Amino acid sequence: MYIVFEGIDGAGKSTQIKILEKWLKNNGLDVETLIEPTDSDIGKLIHKLLKNNNAESDKMQKILALLFAADRMLLTDKLENNNKIILSDRSYISSLAYQKNYNWIKQINKHVKKPDLVLLLDVSTTNSTKRTSGEDKFENPKFLENVKSNYLKIIKEFNHEIINANNEINKVTSDIKKALAPHIKQYKNNIK
Ligand code: TYD
């Protein structure tokens, strides 16, 4: 099962994934976590380019979109042949929300596996920017405001749950657990 966590920078995805990985493992489930961009050479190049001043230019946006898709292709084997519960920090839905030209983004990601469930951690940009370094080009409130509204539109195409990520960590965790429990019934009925 491919479960994806989405949300703007600073939404708390990585924190929650760590907690949930532990929870599922404690319940005896086979779990694996993924992060996009990955730590591959392509992923490293992406992180380098995101720190450049021209990251928001149209040309660089297209180059980044292609690199995000290429980096993601490295994960396809793992996603196709796996009986584990995979918790992923981002997916091609990030590309749909962050990059321009929706239809083209869909096209270049057409070989990527669709998530079984998407958990959208929805947070205000006021709260999210308190949690980020502002180092990456995409980490500015105005840009992220747009990404946040893109997410809320795009997410309707997927099997999804929206989680209010403005709350404190423990409350967000318990909301995610409640949202997740029915979906992982096939693995375990009485999850604690
Ligand atoms: P991420 O590694 O989640 O950020 P951080 O370095 O703060 O942990 O992702 C890096 C940036 O890349 C983030 O601003 C979101 C952006 N991104 C896209 O624009 N498109 C994509 O397809 C993905 C996966 C990430």
Side-chain angles (χ1 to χ4, degrees):
M1 192 177 194
Y2 176 34
I3 301 172
V4 161
F5 289 70
E6 288 284 353
I8 60 174
D9 299 68
K13 300 179 292 298
S14 58
T15 308
Q16 293 297 337
I17 287 175
K18 263 186 220 132
I19 299 171
L20 292 156
E21 180 187 15
K22 223 174 173 180
W23 174 61
L24 293 169
K25 283 187 173 162
N26 286 344
N27 273 281
L29 296 167
D30 210 355
V31 188
E32 187 168 340
T33 59
L34 295 180
I35 302 182
E36 288 193 28
T38 71
D39 62 359
S40 70
D41 288 343
I42 303 172
K44 284 182 189 127
L45 175 60
I46 291 172
H47 278 295
K48 201 166 139 196
L49 293 175
L50 284 174
K51 291 191 170 49
N52 285 353
N53 285 332
N54 61 351
E56 273 159 303
S57 74
D58 262 7
K59 189 172 156 192
M60 193 46 79
Q61 275 282 321
K62 290 194 184 97
I63 292 170
L64 277 166
L66 290 165
L67 289 173
F68 282 123
D71 184 44
R72 195 166 287 130
M73 283 299 290
L74 298 170
L75 299 173
T76 46
D77 287 348
K78 196 174 260 182
L79 292 177
E80 292 295 345
N81 312 305
N82 208 323
N83 291 323
K84 295 181 179 180
I85 296 177
I86 297 186
L87 303 179
S88 182
D89 188 336
R90 300 195 181 278
S91 68
Y92 81 100
I93 301 170
S94 287
S95 284
L96 293 172
Y98 279 75
Q99 274 71 54
K100 287 183 200 140
N101 200 339
Y102 189 85
N103 289 331
W104 179 65
I105 298 290
K106 275 216 146 160
Q107 227 178 316
I108 61 174
N109 284 284
K110 71 175 180 197
H111 299 296
V112 173
K113 190 173 152 70
K114 237 184 164 184
D116 296 302
L117 175 67
V118 187
L119 293 158
L120 176 62
L121 304 196
D122 188 38
V123 69
S124 73
T125 53
T126 319
N127 285 332
S128 76
T129 42
K130 281 184 208 153
R131 304 175 190 162
T132 56
S133 63
E135 237 190 5
D136 283 353
K137 282 300 144 201
F138 294 150
E139 291 177 2
N140 74 76
K142 211 173 139 213
F143 179 80
L144 290 178
E145 202 59 62
N146 183 44
V147 176
K148 176 178 156 75
S149 90
N150 290 344
Y151 266 129
L152 290 167
K153 282 180 229 149
I154 295 163
I155 207 70
K156 294 186 190 131
E157 290 177 32
F158 299 87
N159 183 23
H160 73 277
E161 304 277 351
I162 298 174
I163 307 289
N164 182 352
N166 292 298
N167 294 323
E168 50 113 12
I169 290 182
N170 290 343
K171 165 78 175 137
V172 176
T173 305
S174 74
D175 287 348
I176 296 176
K177 284 181 180 173
K178 263 184 234 151
L180 259 182
H183 296 278
I184 48 180
K185 255 196 182 144
Q186 52 179 304
Y187 294 93
K188 187 160 179 154
N189 235 331
N190 288 320
I191 195 146
K192 288 184 195 83

